[in-house]
Amino acid sequence: MQDTNKQFEHVISICRDLFAKKSKDYGPSWRIMRPESITDQIFIKANRIRSLETKEKSMIDEGIRAEFIAIVNYGVIGLIQLEKGYADTADMSEEEVLKLYDKHITATKELMYAKNHDYDEAWRSMRISSYTDFILMKIYRAKQIEANKGKTLVSEGIDANYMDMINYALFALIKLEYGESDGK
């Protein structure tokens, strides 16, 4: 578990670093996005990953690693938007945005640690392509919950689905970063 914690912290730092740099470039322009649009943006990223996994050829010189990082960061944006609501302007300081990023990534990481304990690191035996499929499934679940105006009968909400998407993307990043077996 110790290696997992270090690996998890490492890939989170990669995602956060890019998020912070983009925040300097663009500010919190994403504050205008409604959660449904964020879900669709994550869908675009996950769908591209799946396309690259099946076609094995990219017309754009950017592989799946960048897309998994984007899924992590858009997932955190989704959690922030669910908490704060969307705005008509970029209404947060860089400091506030990074504080919220850290809050939500910490909650997501704690969920992963709890699940990882219970599942005995089963994710290490999975294929990266399975993470992609699970992320897509979570996206379709989130879209259904959004269509139901956030109401569920027995299921977790959109926030739990975003957290799972983030964690699956982080698992993929660990495997890509550390060259671990793809569970084949």
Side-chain angles (χ1 to χ4, degrees), residues 39 41-47 49-50 53 64 67-72 126 128-143 161-173:
T39 302
Q41 183 63 27
I42 296 169
F43 170 75
I44 290 168
K45 300 299 184 182
N47 199 60
I49 293 167
R50 188 168 172 160
E53 288 171 345
I64 65 172
E67 304 297 358
F68 280 119
I69 292 170
I71 290 170
V72 170
M126 294 171 59
I128 291 173
S129 60
S130 293
Y131 304 140
T132 306
D133 290 349
F134 289 161
I135 290 167
L136 285 164
M137 176 188 63
K138 294 290 183 174
I139 290 165
Y140 283 109
R141 286 181 179 182
K143 285 183 174 204
N161 284 282
Y162 280 154
M163 292 173 94
D164 285 345
M165 290 177 220
I166 293 167
N167 281 326
Y168 286 130
L170 289 167
F171 291 154
L173 287 167

Short mmCIF file of all heavy atoms in Angstrom, two decimals, residues 39 41-47 49-50 53 64 67-72 126 128-143 161-173:
data_model
loop_
_atom_site.label_atom_id
_atom_site.label_comp_id
_atom_site.label_asym_id
_atom_site.label_seq_id
_atom_site.Cartn_x
_atom_site.Cartn_y
_atom_site.Cartn_z
N THR A 39 -19.48 17.02 -17.73
CA THR A 39 -19.66 15.59 -18.02
C THR A 39 -19.39 15.32 -19.49
O THR A 39 -18.70 14.35 -19.84
CB THR A 39 -21.08 15.13 -17.63
OG1 THR A 39 -21.29 15.39 -16.23
CG2 THR A 39 -21.27 13.65 -17.89
N GLN A 41 -17.50 17.11 -21.50
CA GLN A 41 -16.07 17.30 -21.76
C GLN A 41 -15.28 16.06 -21.35
O GLN A 41 -14.37 15.62 -22.06
CB GLN A 41 -15.55 18.54 -21.02
CG GLN A 41 -14.10 18.87 -21.29
CD GLN A 41 -13.82 19.22 -22.75
OE1 GLN A 41 -14.68 19.69 -23.47
NE2 GLN A 41 -12.60 18.98 -23.18
N ILE A 42 -15.63 15.48 -20.21
CA ILE A 42 -14.97 14.24 -19.78
C ILE A 42 -15.27 13.12 -20.78
O ILE A 42 -14.40 12.32 -21.12
CB ILE A 42 -15.39 13.85 -18.35
CG1 ILE A 42 -14.92 14.92 -17.35
CG2 ILE A 42 -14.82 12.49 -17.96
CD1 ILE A 42 -15.52 14.78 -15.96
N PHE A 43 -16.51 13.10 -21.28
CA PHE A 43 -16.88 12.11 -22.29
C PHE A 43 -15.97 12.23 -23.52
O PHE A 43 -15.48 11.23 -24.05
CB PHE A 43 -18.35 12.27 -22.72
CG PHE A 43 -18.70 11.45 -23.92
CD1 PHE A 43 -18.86 10.08 -23.82
CD2 PHE A 43 -18.82 12.05 -25.17
CE1 PHE A 43 -19.15 9.30 -24.94
CE2 PHE A 43 -19.11 11.29 -26.30
CZ PHE A 43 -19.28 9.92 -26.18
N ILE A 44 -15.75 13.46 -23.99
CA ILE A 44 -14.89 13.67 -25.16
C ILE A 44 -13.50 13.09 -24.91
O ILE A 44 -12.93 12.42 -25.77
CB ILE A 44 -14.80 15.18 -25.50
CG1 ILE A 44 -16.14 15.67 -26.05
CG2 ILE A 44 -13.67 15.46 -26.49
CD1 ILE A 44 -16.25 17.19 -26.13
N LYS A 45 -12.95 13.34 -23.71
CA LYS A 45 -11.61 12.85 -23.39
C LYS A 45 -11.59 11.32 -23.33
O LYS A 45 -10.70 10.68 -23.87
CB LYS A 45 -11.13 13.44 -22.06
CG LYS A 45 -11.05 14.96 -22.05
CD LYS A 45 -10.08 15.46 -23.10
CE LYS A 45 -9.91 16.96 -23.08
NZ LYS A 45 -9.00 17.44 -24.11
N ALA A 46 -12.56 10.73 -22.64
CA ALA A 46 -12.61 9.27 -22.51
C ALA A 46 -12.88 8.60 -23.85
O ALA A 46 -12.29 7.55 -24.16
CB ALA A 46 -13.69 8.86 -21.50
N ASN A 47 -13.73 9.21 -24.66
CA ASN A 47 -14.01 8.65 -25.97
C ASN A 47 -12.76 8.68 -26.86
O ASN A 47 -12.51 7.75 -27.62
CB ASN A 47 -15.16 9.41 -26.64
CG ASN A 47 -15.79 8.62 -27.75
OD1 ASN A 47 -16.29 7.52 -27.52
ND2 ASN A 47 -15.75 9.16 -28.95
N ILE A 49 -9.67 8.49 -25.77
CA ILE A 49 -8.81 7.42 -25.27
C ILE A 49 -9.24 6.08 -25.87
O ILE A 49 -8.42 5.32 -26.38
CB ILE A 49 -8.83 7.34 -23.73
CG1 ILE A 49 -8.19 8.59 -23.12
CG2 ILE A 49 -8.11 6.08 -23.23
CD1 ILE A 49 -8.43 8.74 -21.62
N ARG A 50 -10.53 5.82 -25.81
CA ARG A 50 -11.04 4.55 -26.36
C ARG A 50 -10.76 4.45 -27.85
O ARG A 50 -10.38 3.38 -28.35
CB ARG A 50 -12.53 4.43 -26.07
CG ARG A 50 -13.08 3.07 -26.44
CD ARG A 50 -14.44 2.90 -25.88
NE ARG A 50 -15.05 1.69 -26.37
CZ ARG A 50 -16.06 1.09 -25.79
NH1 ARG A 50 -16.56 1.57 -24.67
NH2 ARG A 50 -16.58 0.01 -26.29
N GLU A 53 -7.18 3.61 -28.26
CA GLU A 53 -6.93 2.22 -27.86
C GLU A 53 -7.35 1.25 -28.94
O GLU A 53 -6.72 0.20 -29.13
CB GLU A 53 -7.67 1.90 -26.55
CG GLU A 53 -7.08 2.57 -25.34
CD GLU A 53 -7.94 2.42 -24.09
OE1 GLU A 53 -9.13 2.06 -24.20
OE2 GLU A 53 -7.42 2.70 -23.00
N ILE A 64 -2.72 9.09 -24.85
CA ILE A 64 -3.77 8.92 -23.84
C ILE A 64 -3.38 9.49 -22.48
O ILE A 64 -4.26 9.84 -21.71
CB ILE A 64 -4.19 7.43 -23.71
CG1 ILE A 64 -3.06 6.56 -23.18
CG2 ILE A 64 -4.73 6.92 -25.04
CD1 ILE A 64 -3.49 5.14 -22.86
N GLU A 67 -4.93 12.78 -21.96
CA GLU A 67 -6.38 12.68 -21.81
C GLU A 67 -6.77 12.20 -20.41
O GLU A 67 -7.76 12.67 -19.83
CB GLU A 67 -6.97 11.77 -22.88
CG GLU A 67 -6.65 12.17 -24.30
CD GLU A 67 -7.18 13.52 -24.74
OE1 GLU A 67 -7.87 14.22 -23.96
OE2 GLU A 67 -6.90 13.90 -25.89
N PHE A 68 -6.01 11.26 -19.84
CA PHE A 68 -6.29 10.83 -18.47
C PHE A 68 -6.06 11.97 -17.48
O PHE A 68 -6.82 12.14 -16.53
CB PHE A 68 -5.46 9.60 -18.08
CG PHE A 68 -6.02 8.30 -18.60
CD1 PHE A 68 -5.28 7.51 -19.47
CD2 PHE A 68 -7.27 7.84 -18.21
CE1 PHE A 68 -5.78 6.30 -19.94
CE2 PHE A 68 -7.79 6.63 -18.68
CZ PHE A 68 -7.04 5.86 -19.55
N ILE A 69 -5.01 12.76 -17.72
CA ILE A 69 -4.78 13.94 -16.86
C ILE A 69 -5.96 14.89 -16.97
O ILE A 69 -6.44 15.42 -15.96
CB ILE A 69 -3.45 14.64 -17.25
CG1 ILE A 69 -2.26 13.75 -16.89
CG2 ILE A 69 -3.34 16.01 -16.58
CD1 ILE A 69 -0.92 14.23 -17.45
N ALA A 70 -6.45 15.11 -18.17
CA ALA A 70 -7.61 15.98 -18.37
C ALA A 70 -8.84 15.44 -17.65
O ALA A 70 -9.61 16.22 -17.07
CB ALA A 70 -7.89 16.15 -19.87
N ILE A 71 -9.04 14.14 -17.66
CA ILE A 71 -10.18 13.55 -16.96
C ILE A 71 -10.08 13.84 -15.46
O ILE A 71 -11.06 14.20 -14.81
CB ILE A 71 -10.32 12.05 -17.25
CG1 ILE A 71 -10.77 11.84 -18.71
CG2 ILE A 71 -11.27 11.36 -16.27
CD1 ILE A 71 -10.70 10.41 -19.20
N VAL A 72 -8.88 13.68 -14.91
CA VAL A 72 -8.69 14.01 -13.49
C VAL A 72 -9.07 15.46 -13.24
O VAL A 72 -9.87 15.77 -12.34
CB VAL A 72 -7.23 13.74 -13.04
CG1 VAL A 72 -6.98 14.30 -11.64
CG2 VAL A 72 -6.91 12.26 -13.10
N MET A 126 -5.92 -4.96 -13.49
CA MET A 126 -6.82 -4.57 -14.57
C MET A 126 -6.04 -3.97 -15.75
O MET A 126 -4.93 -3.49 -15.59
CB MET A 126 -7.83 -3.53 -14.06
CG MET A 126 -8.79 -4.10 -13.02
SD MET A 126 -9.79 -2.82 -12.24
CE MET A 126 -10.62 -2.11 -13.64
N ILE A 128 -5.62 -1.09 -18.70
CA ILE A 128 -5.92 0.33 -18.85
C ILE A 128 -7.20 0.50 -19.66
O ILE A 128 -8.02 1.37 -19.36
CB ILE A 128 -4.73 1.09 -19.47
CG1 ILE A 128 -3.56 1.12 -18.46
CG2 ILE A 128 -5.13 2.51 -19.87
CD1 ILE A 128 -2.27 1.70 -19.00
N SER A 129 -7.41 -0.34 -20.65
CA SER A 129 -8.63 -0.24 -21.46
C SER A 129 -9.89 -0.47 -20.61
O SER A 129 -10.94 0.10 -20.91
CB SER A 129 -8.58 -1.22 -22.63
OG SER A 129 -8.47 -2.56 -22.16
N SER A 130 -9.78 -1.25 -19.54
CA SER A 130 -10.93 -1.42 -18.64
C SER A 130 -11.22 -0.14 -17.88
O SER A 130 -12.38 0.22 -17.67
CB SER A 130 -10.69 -2.57 -17.66
OG SER A 130 -10.65 -3.80 -18.35
N TYR A 131 -10.16 0.57 -17.47
CA TYR A 131 -10.39 1.87 -16.81
C TYR A 131 -11.15 2.80 -17.74
O TYR A 131 -12.07 3.51 -17.33
CB TYR A 131 -9.09 2.55 -16.40
CG TYR A 131 -8.17 1.74 -15.52
CD1 TYR A 131 -6.80 1.78 -15.72
CD2 TYR A 131 -8.65 0.96 -14.48
CE1 TYR A 131 -5.93 1.06 -14.93
CE2 TYR A 131 -7.78 0.23 -13.69
CZ TYR A 131 -6.43 0.28 -13.91
OH TYR A 131 -5.57 -0.44 -13.13
N THR A 132 -10.76 2.79 -19.02
CA THR A 132 -11.44 3.62 -20.01
C THR A 132 -12.92 3.27 -20.08
O THR A 132 -13.78 4.15 -20.04
CB THR A 132 -10.79 3.45 -21.40
OG1 THR A 132 -9.39 3.69 -21.29
CG2 THR A 132 -11.42 4.38 -22.42
N ASP A 133 -13.22 1.99 -20.16
CA ASP A 133 -14.61 1.55 -20.23
C ASP A 133 -15.38 1.91 -18.96
O ASP A 133 -16.54 2.35 -19.03
CB ASP A 133 -14.70 0.04 -20.47
CG ASP A 133 -14.24 -0.36 -21.87
OD1 ASP A 133 -14.06 0.53 -22.73
OD2 ASP A 133 -14.05 -1.57 -22.10
N PHE A 134 -14.75 1.76 -17.80
CA PHE A 134 -15.42 2.12 -16.54
C PHE A 134 -15.68 3.61 -16.46
O PHE A 134 -16.73 4.04 -15.97
CB PHE A 134 -14.60 1.65 -15.34
CG PHE A 134 -14.59 0.15 -15.14
CD1 PHE A 134 -13.62 -0.43 -14.36
CD2 PHE A 134 -15.55 -0.67 -15.71
CE1 PHE A 134 -13.59 -1.80 -14.17
CE2 PHE A 134 -15.53 -2.04 -15.51
CZ PHE A 134 -14.55 -2.62 -14.74
N ILE A 135 -14.74 4.41 -16.94
CA ILE A 135 -14.95 5.87 -16.96
C ILE A 135 -16.13 6.20 -17.86
O ILE A 135 -17.01 6.98 -17.49
CB ILE A 135 -13.67 6.61 -17.41
CG1 ILE A 135 -12.59 6.50 -16.32
CG2 ILE A 135 -13.98 8.08 -17.73
CD1 ILE A 135 -11.19 6.93 -16.77
N LEU A 136 -16.17 5.58 -19.05
CA LEU A 136 -17.30 5.82 -19.95
C LEU A 136 -18.62 5.39 -19.31
O LEU A 136 -19.63 6.10 -19.43
CB LEU A 136 -17.08 5.10 -21.29
CG LEU A 136 -16.05 5.77 -22.20
CD1 LEU A 136 -15.60 4.82 -23.30
CD2 LEU A 136 -16.62 7.06 -22.79
N MET A 137 -18.63 4.27 -18.61
CA MET A 137 -19.84 3.82 -17.93
C MET A 137 -20.27 4.85 -16.89
O MET A 137 -21.45 5.19 -16.78
CB MET A 137 -19.62 2.47 -17.27
CG MET A 137 -20.83 1.98 -16.46
SD MET A 137 -20.49 0.51 -15.48
CE MET A 137 -19.22 1.07 -14.35
N LYS A 138 -19.31 5.36 -16.12
CA LYS A 138 -19.61 6.36 -15.08
C LYS A 138 -20.15 7.65 -15.72
O LYS A 138 -21.02 8.30 -15.16
CB LYS A 138 -18.37 6.67 -14.24
CG LYS A 138 -17.89 5.50 -13.40
CD LYS A 138 -18.85 5.21 -12.27
CE LYS A 138 -18.35 4.09 -11.39
NZ LYS A 138 -19.21 3.89 -10.23
N ILE A 139 -19.63 7.99 -16.91
CA ILE A 139 -20.14 9.16 -17.63
C ILE A 139 -21.60 8.95 -17.99
O ILE A 139 -22.44 9.83 -17.78
CB ILE A 139 -19.30 9.44 -18.88
CG1 ILE A 139 -17.90 9.93 -18.48
CG2 ILE A 139 -20.00 10.44 -19.81
CD1 ILE A 139 -16.89 9.90 -19.61
N TYR A 140 -21.93 7.77 -18.53
CA TYR A 140 -23.32 7.51 -18.90
C TYR A 140 -24.23 7.49 -17.67
O TYR A 140 -25.37 7.94 -17.74
CB TYR A 140 -23.43 6.21 -19.72
CG TYR A 140 -22.99 6.42 -21.14
CD1 TYR A 140 -21.81 5.88 -21.62
CD2 TYR A 140 -23.75 7.20 -22.02
CE1 TYR A 140 -21.39 6.09 -22.93
CE2 TYR A 140 -23.34 7.43 -23.33
CZ TYR A 140 -22.17 6.87 -23.77
OH TYR A 140 -21.75 7.09 -25.06
N ARG A 141 -23.71 7.00 -16.56
CA ARG A 141 -24.49 7.06 -15.32
C ARG A 141 -24.74 8.51 -14.91
O ARG A 141 -25.85 8.89 -14.54
CB ARG A 141 -23.77 6.33 -14.19
CG ARG A 141 -23.81 4.83 -14.32
CD ARG A 141 -23.09 4.18 -13.16
NE ARG A 141 -23.15 2.72 -13.27
CZ ARG A 141 -22.64 1.89 -12.39
NH1 ARG A 141 -22.00 2.36 -11.33
NH2 ARG A 141 -22.74 0.59 -12.56
N ALA A 142 -23.67 9.32 -14.97
CA ALA A 142 -23.81 10.74 -14.61
C ALA A 142 -24.82 11.43 -15.54
O ALA A 142 -25.66 12.22 -15.07
CB ALA A 142 -22.46 11.44 -14.67
N LYS A 143 -24.76 11.12 -16.83
CA LYS A 143 -25.70 11.73 -17.77
C LYS A 143 -27.15 11.34 -17.44
O LYS A 143 -28.06 12.16 -17.55
CB LYS A 143 -25.37 11.32 -19.21
CG LYS A 143 -24.17 12.03 -19.78
CD LYS A 143 -23.95 11.62 -21.23
CE LYS A 143 -22.85 12.43 -21.85
NZ LYS A 143 -22.96 12.49 -23.30
N ASN A 161 -19.75 9.61 -8.93
CA ASN A 161 -19.33 9.17 -10.26
C ASN A 161 -18.11 9.95 -10.73
O ASN A 161 -17.18 9.38 -11.29
CB ASN A 161 -20.49 9.28 -11.25
CG ASN A 161 -21.48 8.16 -11.07
OD1 ASN A 161 -21.26 7.04 -11.51
ND2 ASN A 161 -22.58 8.43 -10.38
N TYR A 162 -18.08 11.26 -10.48
CA TYR A 162 -16.88 12.05 -10.81
C TYR A 162 -15.67 11.53 -10.04
O TYR A 162 -14.58 11.40 -10.59
CB TYR A 162 -17.08 13.53 -10.46
CG TYR A 162 -17.87 14.35 -11.46
CD1 TYR A 162 -18.55 15.49 -11.04
CD2 TYR A 162 -17.91 14.06 -12.82
CE1 TYR A 162 -19.27 16.28 -11.92
CE2 TYR A 162 -18.62 14.84 -13.71
CZ TYR A 162 -19.29 15.96 -13.26
OH TYR A 162 -19.99 16.74 -14.15
N MET A 163 -15.85 11.23 -8.77
CA MET A 163 -14.73 10.73 -7.96
C MET A 163 -14.22 9.40 -8.50
O MET A 163 -13.00 9.18 -8.57
CB MET A 163 -15.14 10.60 -6.49
CG MET A 163 -15.39 11.95 -5.83
SD MET A 163 -16.07 11.80 -4.17
CE MET A 163 -14.55 11.87 -3.23
N ASP A 164 -15.12 8.52 -8.89
CA ASP A 164 -14.69 7.24 -9.47
C ASP A 164 -13.96 7.46 -10.80
O ASP A 164 -12.95 6.81 -11.07
CB ASP A 164 -15.88 6.31 -9.67
CG ASP A 164 -16.39 5.70 -8.37
OD1 ASP A 164 -15.67 5.76 -7.35
OD2 ASP A 164 -17.51 5.16 -8.38
N MET A 165 -14.45 8.39 -11.63
CA MET A 165 -13.77 8.69 -12.90
C MET A 165 -12.35 9.18 -12.62
O MET A 165 -11.40 8.75 -13.30
CB MET A 165 -14.52 9.77 -13.67
CG MET A 165 -15.84 9.34 -14.26
SD MET A 165 -16.61 10.79 -15.06
CE MET A 165 -18.32 10.55 -14.59
N ILE A 166 -12.21 10.06 -11.66
CA ILE A 166 -10.89 10.58 -11.29
C ILE A 166 -9.99 9.44 -10.86
O ILE A 166 -8.84 9.33 -11.32
CB ILE A 166 -11.01 11.63 -10.16
CG1 ILE A 166 -11.72 12.89 -10.67
CG2 ILE A 166 -9.63 11.96 -9.58
CD1 ILE A 166 -12.16 13.84 -9.55
N ASN A 167 -10.48 8.59 -9.99
CA ASN A 167 -9.64 7.49 -9.49
C ASN A 167 -9.26 6.50 -10.58
O ASN A 167 -8.11 6.06 -10.63
CB ASN A 167 -10.30 6.81 -8.29
CG ASN A 167 -10.10 7.60 -7.02
OD1 ASN A 167 -9.07 8.25 -6.82
ND2 ASN A 167 -11.09 7.58 -6.14
N TYR A 168 -10.17 6.16 -11.47
CA TYR A 168 -9.80 5.27 -12.58
C TYR A 168 -8.74 5.93 -13.45
O TYR A 168 -7.80 5.26 -13.91
CB TYR A 168 -11.03 4.91 -13.43
CG TYR A 168 -11.96 3.92 -12.78
CD1 TYR A 168 -13.33 4.17 -12.70
CD2 TYR A 168 -11.49 2.73 -12.22
CE1 TYR A 168 -14.20 3.27 -12.11
CE2 TYR A 168 -12.36 1.82 -11.62
CZ TYR A 168 -13.71 2.11 -11.56
OH TYR A 168 -14.57 1.22 -10.97
N ALA A 169 -8.87 7.22 -13.70
CA ALA A 169 -7.86 7.92 -14.50
C ALA A 169 -6.51 7.94 -13.78
O ALA A 169 -5.46 7.77 -14.41
CB ALA A 169 -8.34 9.34 -14.82
N LEU A 170 -6.53 8.11 -12.47
CA LEU A 170 -5.29 8.09 -11.70
C LEU A 170 -4.65 6.70 -11.73
O LEU A 170 -3.42 6.59 -11.82
CB LEU A 170 -5.53 8.57 -10.27
CG LEU A 170 -5.81 10.08 -10.14
CD1 LEU A 170 -6.34 10.40 -8.75
CD2 LEU A 170 -4.58 10.90 -10.46
N PHE A 171 -5.45 5.67 -11.66
CA PHE A 171 -4.91 4.31 -11.77
C PHE A 171 -4.20 4.14 -13.12
O PHE A 171 -3.10 3.58 -13.19
CB PHE A 171 -6.01 3.25 -11.65
CG PHE A 171 -6.64 3.13 -10.29
CD1 PHE A 171 -7.93 2.65 -10.16
CD2 PHE A 171 -5.96 3.46 -9.13
CE1 PHE A 171 -8.53 2.51 -8.92
CE2 PHE A 171 -6.55 3.33 -7.87
CZ PHE A 171 -7.84 2.84 -7.78
N ALA A 172 -4.85 4.60 -14.18
CA ALA A 172 -4.24 4.50 -15.51
C ALA A 172 -2.93 5.29 -15.57
O ALA A 172 -1.93 4.80 -16.12
CB ALA A 172 -5.21 5.01 -16.58
N LEU A 173 -2.93 6.46 -14.98
CA LEU A 173 -1.71 7.28 -14.98
C LEU A 173 -0.58 6.60 -14.22
O LEU A 173 0.58 6.67 -14.63
CB LEU A 173 -1.99 8.67 -14.41
CG LEU A 173 -2.79 9.58 -15.34
CD1 LEU A 173 -3.29 10.81 -14.58
CD2 LEU A 173 -1.97 9.97 -16.56
#
